[in-house]
Amino acid sequence: MKVGFVGLGTMGLPMTKNLLKAGFEVVVVSRSRGPIEAAVALGAKEAANPADLAAQVDVALTCLPMPETVEAVYLGENGLLAGARPGTILADHSTVSPALNRKIFEAARAKGVHFLDAPVSGGPMGAEAGTLTIMCGGEPEASRRPSPSSRRWANLWSSSARWAAAAWSS
């Protein structure tokens, strides 16, 4: 399973490091060069922009600081939805409004893409330790999708955090 991560800040870089340690192939995008270079030094590959990242991965994760940034990364001209193929899973670990999550969910569904609202709890220490808790909302089949296997999907979640919530359906 190829995983993308957008937003290599205080939370995103440690989460990405944990995914790499777990053996996932990871593609990254971030605003700042330093974290990109750190992730690439550990084995990640850099994408040109979120659309390029989404075109390369099975699952794209984001952890971003501001709602405006989340909206641009998902819905912008070079956003994740511009590059995502049908069946791609997008999961946002940011904390944003239900209205923005619904807007992204609807836009994703129109393209045949799955979107999970998946904010995390546990802070930077939890991100470093891989012990974050994910509170997830979205279509149940997206959170349980076996791609390429149920064990690999469970490993994806447990590599970046503890899976701790059930999904909702639209």
Side-chain angles (χ1 to χ4, degrees), residues 105 114-118 135-143 166-170:
F105 173 82
H114 301 284
F115 174 74
L116 296 171
D117 165 28
M135 296 148 287
C136 183
E139 297 171 306
E141 65 269 16
S143 65
W168 50 266
S169 63
S170 57

Side-chain angles (χ1 to χ4, degrees), residues 3-17 19 26-39 44-47 49-50 53 60-66 69-70 72-74 80 91-94 120 127 132 160:
V3 180
F5 210 106
V6 180
L8 302 180
T10 304
M11 300 291 286
L13 182 58
M15 292 169 78
T16 297
K17 288 178 180 179
L19 291 168
V26 181
V27 181
V28 297
V29 169
S30 197
R31 297 188 288 210
S32 303
R33 289 295 323 152
I36 292 171
E37 291 168 3
K45 297 191 175 24
E46 181 181 3
N49 55 49
L53 180 144
L61 309 173
T62 58
C63 195
L64 302 161
M66 302 297 296
T69 306
V70 172
V73 163
Y74 279 89
L80 290 168
D92 182 34
H93 295 305
S94 313
V120 295
L132 295 170
S160 59

Side-chain angles (χ1 to χ4, degrees), residues 85-168:
R85 300 172 317 280
T88 301
I89 296 174
L90 308 176
D92 182 34
H93 295 305
S94 313
T95 301
V96 299
S97 72
L100 179 55
N101 284 323
R102 176 60 69 181
K103 182 177 182 179
I104 296 168
F105 173 82
E106 294 296 341
R109 184 163 58 180
K111 283 197 69 173
V113 172
H114 301 284
F115 174 74
L116 296 171
D117 165 28
V120 295
S121 175
M125 287 176 47
E128 290 283 345
T131 58
L132 295 170
T133 298
I134 300 171
M135 296 148 287
C136 183
E139 297 171 306
E141 65 269 16
S143 65
R144 293 190 297 260
R145 185 174 135 206
S147 173
S149 73
S150 298
R151 169 169 276 170
R152 200 72 173 141
W153 180 241
N155 288 343
L156 167 65
W157 286 109
S158 65
S159 296
S160 59
R162 283 179 294 185
W163 176 256
W168 50 266

